[in-house]
Amino acid sequence: MLDVKQAHVVTQWPADRPLNVCRFDPQGRYVVVGAEDATLARFQLSDGAKVLFPGGHQTWVFSLAFSKDGNTFVSGGGEGKIIWWETATAAPAPLRSIAAHKGWIRSMAVSPDGALLASGGNDLVVRLWNMSDGAAIRELSGHEKHVYSVVFHPNGTTLFTGDLKGAVKQWDVATGQLLRTFEAKPLYAYNDGQGVDFGGVRGLAVSPDGKWLAAGGLHKASNPLGAVHEPIVCLFDLASDKPEPVRQQIAEGVTQGIIWGLRWLSDGSLMGVSGGGSGGFLIFWKPDADKDYYRFALPSLAREMDLHLDGLQVATVHHDRHVRITKLAAKT
Amino acid sequence: MQDANYACRSSEHTLARRSFLGTLAATATGAVAGGLGIFSSPVIAQQLKSDQKRVVVINMHGGLSQLESWDPKPGTDTGGPFLSIPTSVPGIQISELLPQTAQIMQHLCLLRGVNTSEDDHGKGRFMMLTGRRQMPGLDFPEMGAVCAKTLMPETSDLPGHIVITPGGGGGRGNDSAYLGPKYSSIQLGNGNPPPNTALPGGLTEQSELARHDFRRQVNERFLNRRRTAVTEAFTYSYEQALKLMQKKDVFDVSKEPAADHERYGKHDFGRHCLLARRLLESGVGFVQLAHSNYDTHNENFNFHIEQMAEFDRGFSCFVKDLADRGMLESTLLIVLSEFGRTPNINHYAGRDHWSRAWSVCVAGARFPRGVAFGKTNDKGTEVTEGQCDHGNLFHTYLTAVGVDSNGSFNIDGRDLPIADPSSKMIDGLLT
Amino acid sequence: MRVTTSGLILLLALFSAPQTWGQTPSDTLSSVIDQTLAPPSGLTIGVCSDAEFLRRVSLDLIGYPPTAVETRAFLADPAPDKRIKMVDQLLASPRFARHLATAIDLWLMERRPNSNIPQDEWHAWLVKSIREGKPWNVLAREILNADGADPATRPAARFYLDRNSEPNQIVRDVGRIFFGRDLQCAQCHDHPLVDDFKQADYHGLLAFIAPGYSVAIKNGDRTVNIHAEKAGTDLQFESVFYKGTLHRTPPRVPGDLLIDEPNFYPGEEYTVVPADNIQAVPKFSRRQKLAEIATSGTNRVFNENIANRLWSHMFGRGLVHPLDMHHADNPGTNPVLMKALGERFAAMSYDMKGFLREIALSQSYQRPFDAPGDLLTAAAQAAAQLAPLEAERTAAGATYTSAKTAFEQATTAYEAAEKAYLPVVAELDKARTQCAEAKKGLDAANAAVAEAQKQATTKQEIATSLQQAVTAAQAAAQKLPADAELAAAAAKFAERSTQVTGEVAALQKVVEEKTAAVAAPTNAYATSKTAIDVALAATQPLRESLKQKDIELLAARRQMQDQVGALAVIDARIVTTKSLAALATAKQSLDTAQLALAARETEHKAAMEQLVAYAPTVTERESVLKVATDALSAAAVAVQTAQAEQANHLALVKDLTTATEATGAALAKLPGDAVLADASTKLKERLVATQTESAQYQTKVDKASTDKTTATVTRDAAQKLMEEAVVERTRREQVVATAVTAVDTTQSDRTKFQGEIAALSNDAVDGYSKRFALANLKALTPEQLCWSIFQVTDVYGRHWNAEVAELDKAAPLTDAQKQDPAAVAARMLDLEQRTYDKLKGNLSTFIQFYGAGAGQPQSDFFATADQALYAANAGSVSSWCAQTGGNVTDLVVNQLDAKLAAEELYLAVLSRLPTETETAAVADILTKRAADKSVAAQELVWGLVNSAEFRFNH
């Protein structure tokens, strides 16, 4: 039974390098992780058995996405390639490799019907691909800064993409037309003294009922270069025409925190994962409140997370070279 | 104990003054002197005047990551996510963040063996700009002041030491130590012209001419009583100011072609590079500009993508233009920081302060072209070849532009070594 | 200071070295100055004009130029002693202390940031000190002694605190500012360029300074840094050039002897031991000792430094220059005067005002700055003076050499004594270390006792409380005997009390044990102290020997310094004399060149005359030649004509002959033909007749030929004469050309010698300025410049008047007070302070443009374009020069008489009357600009304010 206040770490598995990204296999068998190197790793949930996926990328893997059936998954790398892999293989080798972007592919998502793959990255472009054969379908241009996150609407007709400046664009999947732009301005700051841009839509999630769009990242960036900032989520009401957030959700006291990923839970809560000065957190908000109602402390700074299809298990990846499985329910 | 040697000092001064008066007599206006500094080495100054050298320092403020720029280590634990790319010089690879710079590698000299052993911003900056380690009770002039004194003709209408500050500001810097304020930087806040270069409101052109005419008349009568180096320096400063006002356009980068603005990039750094080009072409001997900010303890890679892109564009255009215009032979360009950044990537994906093995990039003057000098090990944690520090670099920079770095300034009877006498230039590097 | 008797005598001798200028002590200092600095012989150098004197002395003593009114009054004053009165008047001005405080601030702090002591507090403290007449040695002692703990005297600690209590920074600046010696380069080795700056000097001074440290303490409700002090030790050092040779020095004031300190056993050095946020107090303060020795009046280095700085304040450069490079190789312009100034200043109890007064009254101070008119006359006598000078030099050189040898010997002797001392003192160090260890053991044992005692006491307190509880419970139980619970409780209390009492006894026992355990470390400590005594005793004779050598070394060093100084003075005179001699030589060469030029010009003229004179001859011969040539041509034509006529005639004869012969032949065929016969006859006759004429033609030809020959001879003769004339003319032209070259050469010689004379004269004049025979140009400090502009544009006057009005309204003086000089003086001080406070905000701009960088010497002149741009374009200077009620611009505008307008202008801004040319120039401008007179007047004021004459004090 979902009960976030009973959340506890069930297990953890070590990796070779600090980890950046993770995704559960939709069949619920595996969690796949990307690290600060070119090799992916697959952990079997039942026993933690680890298999490495080498030979695909030249550098770090920043994004992962599974096919709807979970039999294949794709990884996006810092060199701009998308690689297709067979999930359950015993002898991993790239199935397909396409030169998809110039520079990093920061985020990927597969459409609810499983047909399309969306990818976005440092070349400011969002691309749609045929998930089954890797054929390019459409290119969506309009972001002025690096694209940090992409996510499909649950109904599959539109796509949301967020960038460094906090712009979240909603696109018509069928036509590629830009429908509207949400401004998550609190997520971005230009620091005049340091001369740097900082922030970005680092987590993006649409509620299963299609009502809420949540864009997460950081604010209060008084010293971007020194990691002084706090996590924040901008909540947009998709039913309204308002381009600005209807609510800013914060987590007071999580210093040096950034929202790296967002998921909606079955009880209507929004869950974010954050790093922070004193470790990592899973943070929980209700859509009608500014402040989090619960936060669960993780043992090390977390960088990404995914929610298992059971809605209870959460995978988090950490700088301390571990992937952890947390259960949002009482211990059994 | 040697014999008293005051006599030779005084005769040196005598010589200097004569040379000064000689210059005076030789000019039509009868008012030429920039101050008293030159008198310690009139011969050297004369020599250099015939072939004026220029120096540009680009200060990568905060500490540029050598791994994301000049000395990438892709595919290692320390290398980060970026790849390296080939350059116009076979065998030399640099970070993929510098694609345009890679195309002009034939002009550059990478110094990959820098080890300064100082991880403090202030101290690192001091060392890299003065060539010495900081010591209590001692202050040293920055490179710009040294260059202004050794490279600029005393009679130049333009300041010899210009610092383009990234933010606002303006006015005179406090960076010349014992060389005196004459050699302090004139700071162009965010590339704006020096202060007070426009006539005050309400003053007519005619009135301006009249008041200076009268001032000159008054001076002439007074100087007929006694003419000394200080009176000449004083009266000349007004003429220099007037010439500076006439040449105000030199500081106006908007006068550069729109196509160049486009090429250099329409951000501050691109504009400052273009302004630096304009200043050099107008005869300014030393220009320092900065690019902010590389102190990336947090998200080193995100920040370097953006910062390096700006840098790559402005810098590559700048170098290419200097080369195309035949100015690289006489111009030394230095890209430095206070230190590099740690090979270790911290938990905020940042890199911290690291001075044991980092890189400086130079171009022009007597530095070899298309060369990577010095090496670090596989993970970039140690220098394995061609090690040098701030003192070696300072000597080498100066030697490259024809200054005897083992020489001394004579300031009011004191001999003060131009560069750290306990250090020396890098062996076998210069052409 | 403990010294041996023999050392003391020697020491006294050092401090009372014979005065070499031979005056009686009753001579005023100003007369001593003038006698020592008499202008070079042969030159007429008097004193500057009244106007120049007034501006100079005003700027030097109070930092402002005089007002036009003051200048007018001074110029009109016929009193012969008006300069003396003026000096006294200025010294009595409230601005005197302000100005001297500013100068002393610049010496001491060199515009360093005010990080611990606010500028206003510091400046006010200096002003107050000077107003109170605090002597320099007292001021210096307060600064050198300062810790900043007492809020009342805290500003004095700025010297240390705003150098962040950094010992090496402080050593450098104490050395430079209080002793005139920049020892920084001697930190790591003997100074590479200055033989006189020893590493030992640096470390001797450092030994005084190094115990100082910064500690934050609570001062009222805020935390402040103070410059506290720890107990010091001897310092060991070695040269980075000669590693391995260790030296050791106790504290030693520059130019003084190493000091003795009382012996304190480790653990007993402090009255208050160092701890966080606590000011430590050592039993022996080195800082106080430094202050005491330096300011005692006997330290020549300290005395000469300040005398030199005050001198520089008035003259624009030190007798020794740069001010912080006072060493044997740079003994300054006049070491004898330098020594006298130091001694005199100490003898007048470091009274700065009195000292400045003496300087201001000296003729030397009042010299003009113009080049002397009779320089060349003086130069002519120079060569003759060289030989005696050289002889003097040789003698002084010999004295110097022996002094140098003595110094080297003394150095060697000292180093030998040091070498012998080092191993013995190392034993003392060892004993001290052991004693410190023993003290630590003792402290630990005592701490253990205290801890046990504390526990026992605590337990005892519990026992006592329990006992009381037992008593109370038992009393209650007795009153309620039936209450079993109460009885049980009482019993429980009693039981517990007994138990605790037992525990107390146990703890008491621990106390006894711990107390007993103190005995051993106490003994050990006592023993280790005895070991120190023994080791100390062992060092004593060696230390005495070292001190003896130190005294001898110092004496030898001073002797050598004095000899170098004496040598330097002669050398300087030789240089001057040589330079003058060179000037004389150049002048002679110039005169020779001048004469030669005249001669060459005469020669040139003569040659030209010769050339011109010959011209008619050439012309005449040319015409003769032409006639002869023409004649010859005519003769040739005549010959040709005659010959042609003859040829015609001969052809006729030939034709006639042919015809005659043909006719004869025909007649022979037709004899008798009468016609033919007649024709034949006639032909023959004609032939004969014609033949007869032939001779005539020949004669004609012959005659023509003869004529031609004659003409040829004539022509040839004329031609020869002509050729001769051309040669002669060329020769004369050559002579002219040679003469022209000679003139050119001589002229360029003359230019060269004129240049040489100009350069040598300039050198000479410069040299006279440096040696104070002529005045120096002194650039106004940023503060002087600011106040001077405010003074001459009446900005200051307007603010002053506003303050007067305000005070007259708020606190009017009573009639009685107006008669009371003290009340009036107090009012003046008040007004000065108020006006200063209103205007001081402007100083920062002037400092920004005209001041040197923080921590750099502030006395070096520099001129930059940004200063001129500020003065021209920032708007403020122009606006101060604009016409405002009653200021100089206003007076100029409203003065209809142009001459008087010019007078107002020059008196107000340049503190002098204008010359006729200047008056005319001003009048001209004001006439031409009648339409915008106000603007023109503003330009004039601006022009004068921005002139060299205004920028410099001269």
Side-chain angles (χ1 to χ4, degrees), chain A residues 85-109:
Chain A
W85 309 86
E86 184 188 341
T87 307
T89 178
L95 297 176
R96 179 185 302 114
S97 169
I98 58 173
H101 287 270
K102 208 173 159 218
W104 301 359
I105 299 168
R106 288 185 186 256
S107 182
M108 294 193 294

Side-chain angles (χ1 to χ4, degrees), chain C residues 3 8 31 47 122 136 160 163 318 385 440 480 496 565 595 633 637 710 768 783 815 903:
Chain C
V3 292
L8 189 62
S31 68
V47 293
W122 163 245
W136 168 254
Y160 291 138
R163 286 176 173 81
Q385 297 161 357
K440 258 191 224 165
L480 294 171
R496 185 86 181 98
L595 286 175
S633 303
V637 169
T710 312
Y768 290 138
E783 287 86 352
D815 286 344
E903 228 178 81

Side-chain angles (χ1 to χ4, degrees), chain A residues 17 59-60 79 104 106 122 146 148 194-198 202 224-225 227 229 256 258 260 277 301 303 319, chain B residues 77-78 80-83 96 292-299 301-303 305-307 345-349:
Chain A
R17 299 279 302 141
T59 180
W60 298 4
E79 76 296 281
W104 301 359
R106 288 185 186 256
N122 286 353
H146 297 166
Y148 272 46
Q194 300 180 339
V196 292
D197 289 310
F198 190 45
R202 309 215 176 185
L225 298 177
H229 46 70
Q256 302 176 309
I258 303 178
W260 284 106
L301 186 139
R303 284 195 175 152
H319 175 260
Chain B
D77 288 0
T78 56
F82 299 114
L83 303 172
E96 64 169 322
S292 264
N293 181 305
Y294 290 90
D295 194 18
T296 51
H297 294 282
N298 180 41
E299 305 212 345
F301 306 107
N302 278 337
F303 289 124
I305 295 177
E306 186 170 340
Q307 298 289 90
I345 299 162
N346 70 24
H347 62 292
Y348 297 120

Side-chain angles (χ1 to χ4, degrees), chain B residues 1-2 6 14 17-18 136-138 172 181 196 198 207 210-211 219 221 225-226 231 238 245 412 414, chain C residues 52 166 169 172 195 322 324 329 369-370 404 568 571 763 765-766 769 849 866 872-873 918 939 946 948:
Chain B
M1 175 101 199
Q2 290 168 357
Y6 46 83
T14 304
R17 264 203 30 85
R18 271 191 208 154
L138 285 183
R172 194 200 303 146
N196 300 323
S207 197
R211 64 182 186 154
N219 279 339
R221 284 192 286 269
R225 296 178 62 189
R226 179 96 178 267
T231 59
Y238 280 76
M245 287 167 69
D412 208 7
R414 295 157 221 251
Chain C
E52 200 132 76
E166 212 300 316
Q169 178 76 59
R172 180 177 192 211
D195 290 329
D324 56 3
D329 286 351
F369 83 99
D370 312 66
K404 185 180 152 194
D571 277 347
D763 286 352
V765 169
D766 245 28
S769 274
F849 284 101
D866 64 340
N873 298 338
E918 285 164 342
E939 288 161 13
N946 284 279

Side-chain angles (χ1 to χ4, degrees), chain C residues 683-710:
Chain C
L683 272 172
K684 281 176 187 169
E685 285 171 0
R686 188 60 201 262
L687 178 63
V688 169
T690 303
Q691 279 172 334
T692 312
E693 284 170 9
S694 288
Q696 202 181 321
Y697 282 104
Q698 184 59 48
T699 309
K700 260 189 175 171
V701 168
D702 288 350
K703 163 111 186 11
S705 294
T706 310
D707 286 352
K708 188 186 165 194
T709 306
T710 312

